[in-house]
Each structure stands twice: as structure tokens, then as C-alpha cells.
Amino acid sequence: MRETKRRLEAFSFFDYTGIARHLSGMAEKGWLIESISNFGWVYRRTEPKKLSFWVSYFPRASEFDPEPTEEQKEFHDFCARTGWVLAARSAQMQVFYNEREDPVPLETDPAVEIQTIRAAAKRSYLPVWCVLLLISVIDCGLFVSRLLGDPIGLLASALNLFTGFTWLLLFLLCALELGGYFVWSRRAARAAERGELPETRSFSRVQKGAAALALLGFVYWLLSTLTQGNALQRTVAVTMLLATAALILLVNGVKELLKRLKAPRGLNRTLTVLVSFVLSFVLVGGAVFGVLRAVRNGGFDEKPGEESGGLPLMIEELLPGSYGDYRREIRREESLLLGQITTRQRPGPGAAGQWPELELTVTEVKLPVLYGFCRDSLLSSHEDVIQDGQAVLADHYESSDPAPWRANEAFRLYWSTGYLDQYLLCYENRLVELRFSWEPTAEQMETVAAKFAE
Amino acid sequence: MPRLKFQTLTEQMFYTLLCLKDERCGMDILDRIPSLTGGRVRIGSGTLYTLLEQFTEAGLIRETKVEGRRRSYILTEAGRERLEEEYRRVCAQAADYRAVFGEEEAE
């Protein structure tokens, strides 16, 4: 039988009544809170009993304190005098329990209690949530700006959808948390004038729901990357995951080690912040550098016969010949909304003379309502350069005969003073953009049609 | 307009200051207030701890000695004046009550 258990709890910093109620319920089930950390709340098995809990705040405490300060210990002595026993503490939050039947409340003056909670909130809780709100607003803004600039690239990427979704969740949580705090603070100040302190409103279910959604999003991204991504995407995902996990564990490990070594609060804070900066650069920067280096050296180039899932259209199918020295670049993105494959076949570095090249982007639209949006987005990706109301450089798609391609619609790129051999073909739920380094023949168009018209 | 700090004292503030007419440590105050008021007024440990800090900052009490984690305090002249002001305010309230309801009813 387990003597301890760890649970991930979600409570707002100021939700003292919600936390006390929850801990009383746990004690009645025979689990007494023992410690609170970023990695969960630990409960110790005890005899089930009815206990009163009180969440108190000590504004001058810090999560970097190696142990309670003398002032805190004096405060704990005060509490012990009225039967309140310290059960757990985390930074400024301190949890007490009392076995007496009708104990003297730990706080008996609401106005004084609010001052203490507000002072504690100003020191750590509010700055942290304000920074998180700022970061989430910036990232949501970047997401929207990318959605306007490159909607297909964004919506076809499981990673981008996951991160955008997570930033949005974080923004909503920050707004809820900070809004909840300020609403509580105003209500509490008014109630304190009447000698009362209102119950706090618990957002625990919303926070747990948001965490579950973020976890689902993460699992979806991870599974889709591992099962559908190419070698580069899988490597980047695994490397970044490992680097992030190592970063979290090492930074937390350094902080806890310094606490065990009884390092002063200031020294611990300085060293932990320093270590987190250095490790961020070393681990994440090193991982990015390693992957980029491998890419530059062609470590992730798809080799003939080794393509994951194969190229949707190969140059060999249009121009028979030997292309063994050709470099093949494939980029696949897949999300619940869209799938996109971008391929490029070009001569290797040692090739001399004129060799054909083929670039292809196939966008599979899984959600039919997005089809028009994606088509328009691809068409508007080429726009004439206009200065003072005059077109100074033509760069746009023009309608072309779709019949040879067996497409619903076809467009050909007009650039400067003439047509290029770049086409946008619109099929049922599929948009194909092709760039040839030669003018395709009717037979080659039919080969393309056979590939994509079905 | 913000209220001036300690302009009016709550019962818990009043009795905390009253207990410090003589030098006392915080934990003694926790016991002294209920015995002084026959259990009518009780003060929480957290509230007393914060009040002692705030009274010290405001100069109404001063620390006299520290023995381990036991700190003792005593009322200052400013604290005595503040307590007397509060006493006069409470007396004035009682006088007003008597003026409205008459001596007999008040008794």
C-alpha cells in the first residue's frame, strides 16, 4: 500500500478557501498534504480525520529560501500556540491544519488578511502572470500575423496549430487568472469594510480543462510528427523535446541543490537564473546548431528510393533519363485541416551544364470549407509590384486552359513581360503548384493529370 | 479618499495595544486577550503577527528584547496617545448612547 501520493493540482494563488476545502476533503479520505512543488502536491497517508485547513501568506518568503527564515519560524510558533500546524509551504504560501474542533481562525481581521495577500501577490504572483500574459499576447499576435501572411503553411503544420492553440489557451488562462484576482481583490476590500472576507471563486476545473486540452494538443503534435513527419522533422521534435526536458530538470535541480546546501536566497536566485540562461543557449542553441549543420551537410536530403512516402511526382516520370546525382528535397506538413508536400529536384553541386529542375507543392484540403480560402491564398501569393498607382513589375497568375491538366481550374504565372512555366492547378480538394525549368508538353501535362486528377 | 492607517482601531488592534502597557512577547498576547475580555475577543495568530509588524512600523510599539524567536514589545508614547484617543472615542460613543436612551436604560 502506497504511503504517499503525488497529484497535479490546479489552484489560483489567491484561492485560499478552495485550497483549504480541497485539503480538508483529502484529509477526510486519509491523505494529509506534505509538500507542494512545481512537480505536484505530495500527500502522506494518515488516519482519515476531520481537520481544519488554513492557507496563509508570508510576503517576505521566497521559493529560493533554503528553509523557513527566523521570521517565518517565529510566525509558525505563533500559529502553533493556537493549534495551527504547518503542513506544507511553497514560496509565500503556507498551509496549516488544526485538529481542534472549533479553532481560533488563523486570521481574524479581514482587512489585515487582504493586505497580507495583496502584499504577497505583488511580490511574485502578479509579476509572473503579467509576464506570461505579455508573452502570450505577443505570440498570439505573431500567430495571427502569420495566419494572414502564410495561412496554408500555418494551418498545414501540426506544430504551428499546437503552439498557436497553446498560446491562445495560455492567454485565456492569464486573462482569467488576473481578472479573477482583481475582481476578488475589489470584492474582498469592500467586504472587509463590513468585517467579512468573501469566499474565493475557484477556477480549478477551468485550469485542469486547459491543461488537459494542452496535453491533448501536445500528444496530437507528437504523434503526427513521429508518424507522418520526415527524418528532419522527427529529429527536430525529439531533439527539442529532450533539450527542453533537460533544461527544466537541470534548472530545477540546481535550485534544489543550492537549497540543500543552504545557499542564501539571493545567491540561489542569481545562480539559478544564470544557469537557466546559459543552459538555454547551450542545450536549445546546441540542438538547433546540430540540426542546422546536419541539414547543411545534406544529412536529411531524401535519397532515391528512401523517400518517406515517395515523391508525388518525379522528374524521371516527365523526362526519362538518369538523375542519380540529383538532390531531392521534400517537406511534408500534415494537420487535421490541411496536408502539404513541397518537393524540389535539382542537379547536385558537381553537375555541369543545363539540367532540368522541378518544384512541386501539393496542398490537400481536408476541411472543404477551407478550399476557397487556400486557392485565393495561393493566387494572391503573387502580386504585381505597384508604385504610385502604376504596376512597375507584373507578377500574377492568369487563367489558363484547365483541359490538358484535367483540372477544374488552371492558372499560369505571368512575370515581368511574359509567362513562366509555373502553374497552379485546382483539383477536387487538392491544389497543385508546379514550376518547371522547361515548357511542359501535352504528354507531360497528361502525366501530371494522371497523378493528381484522381 | 484613502483611510488613514489606525485612524480608528478595531477591537483586536485596541486590545493588542492595551496588552502592551507592560512588556510582553507576541505569544503572551495571544493568551492575554481572551483572558482580559472573558473570551469575547479572540485574535488569530496571523492577524496578531501582522499587527505587531505594522504597529512597530508606525511607532506605536517598540521591540524591547529578543530571546531566540521570542520578541517582546512595549507601548510607546505615540501608542499610548493613540490608545487614549481611541478610549475617548469609545467613551464619547457611550455618552452619546446614554444621551439618546437615558442613564437608566443604558445601565
Side-chain angles (χ1 to χ4, degrees), chain B residues 6-107:
Chain B
F6 307 135
Q7 194 180 33
T8 55
L9 300 179
T10 62
E11 270 196 320
Q12 294 168 70
M13 292 174 182
F14 181 84
Y15 283 105
T16 302
L17 289 176
L18 198 60
C19 287
L20 290 174
K21 174 181 169 288
D22 301 315
E23 182 187 75
R24 272 198 177 83
C25 72
M27 277 189 280
D28 291 342
I29 301 172
L30 283 172
D31 301 332
R32 178 70 179 143
I33 291 178
S35 70
L36 191 66
T37 61
R40 187 177 62 80
V41 178
R42 299 192 301 176
I43 186 164
S45 312
T47 302
L48 177 65
Y49 187 88
T50 312
L51 283 182
L52 290 174
E53 274 189 347
Q54 292 182 346
F55 286 154
T56 309
E57 270 174 35
L60 301 182
I61 60 172
R62 66 181 169 81
E63 206 175 279
T64 52
K65 64 179 176 194
V66 181
E67 291 170 326
R69 293 206 294 263
R70 286 168 71 95
R71 279 187 285 174
S72 298
Y73 304 87
I74 195 162
L75 204 59
T76 62
E77 198 52 42
R80 179 66 188 259
E81 281 171 20
R82 187 65 208 86
L83 204 52
E84 276 180 15
E85 270 176 44
E86 187 63 23
Y87 170 70
R88 283 196 293 274
R89 194 181 66 82
V90 173
C91 286
Q93 279 185 340
D96 292 340
Y97 181 88
R98 282 196 295 271
V100 171
F101 289 104
E103 281 296 331
E104 276 181 28
E105 199 176 331
E107 282 167 9

Side-chain angles (χ1 to χ4, degrees), chain A residues 73-89:
Chain A
K73 286 177 185 168
E74 185 194 9
F75 175 69
H76 298 161
D77 292 343
F78 269 49
C79 297
R81 187 75 159 207
T82 46
W84 291 101
V85 180
L86 180 72
R89 66 187 179 92

Side-chain angles (χ1 to χ4, degrees), chain A residues 352-380:
Chain A
Q354 283 285 328
W355 289 84
E357 286 185 33
L358 178 67
E359 276 183 49
L360 169 75
T361 301
V362 183
T363 304
E364 301 280 354
V365 184
K366 297 179 184 177
L367 202 64
V369 72
L370 289 176
Y371 185 86
F373 173 72
C374 293
R375 171 190 170 278
D376 294 346
S377 170
L378 286 170
L379 283 173
S380 62

Side-chain angles (χ1 to χ4, degrees), chain A residues 231-304:
Chain A
L232 174 62
Q233 288 164 325
R234 288 197 301 271
T235 306
V236 169
V238 171
T239 309
M240 293 313 287
L241 264 184
L242 290 176
T244 308
L247 182 65
I248 291 170
L249 290 175
L250 285 172
V251 169
N252 201 67
V254 166
K255 185 176 80 178
E256 292 304 318
L257 177 69
L258 288 170
K259 277 163 91 168
R260 273 202 290 278
L261 294 173
K262 310 279 184 219
R265 171 199 299 188
L267 180 67
N268 190 335
R269 185 189 290 122
T270 308
L271 283 178
T272 304
V273 170
L274 200 67
V275 165
S276 62
F277 267 104
V278 171
L279 283 179
S280 299
F281 281 105
V282 171
L283 287 172
V284 180
V288 171
F289 177 77
V291 170
L292 284 179
R293 198 168 166 175
V295 169
R296 207 171 296 135
N297 292 338
F300 291 102
D301 283 357
E302 300 277 354
K303 293 178 178 59

Side-chain angles (χ1 to χ4, degrees), chain A residues 16 32 71 137 152 206 239 260 267 270 285 298 312 372 431 434 438:
Chain A
Y16 50 89
L32 180 65
E71 285 177 319
V137 166
I152 296 178
V206 179
T239 309
R260 273 202 290 278
L267 180 67
T270 308
L431 297 156
L434 279 156
W438 72 96

Side-chain angles (χ1 to χ4, degrees), chain A residues 318-338:
Chain A
L318 301 171
L319 295 169
S322 172
Y323 299 94
D325 294 334
Y326 261 50
R327 292 187 74 164
R328 300 176 181 207
E329 295 163 18
I330 306 179
R331 190 166 168 268
R332 281 190 177 80
E333 292 286 5
E334 183 98 32
S335 79
L336 291 169
L337 309 175
L338 300 175

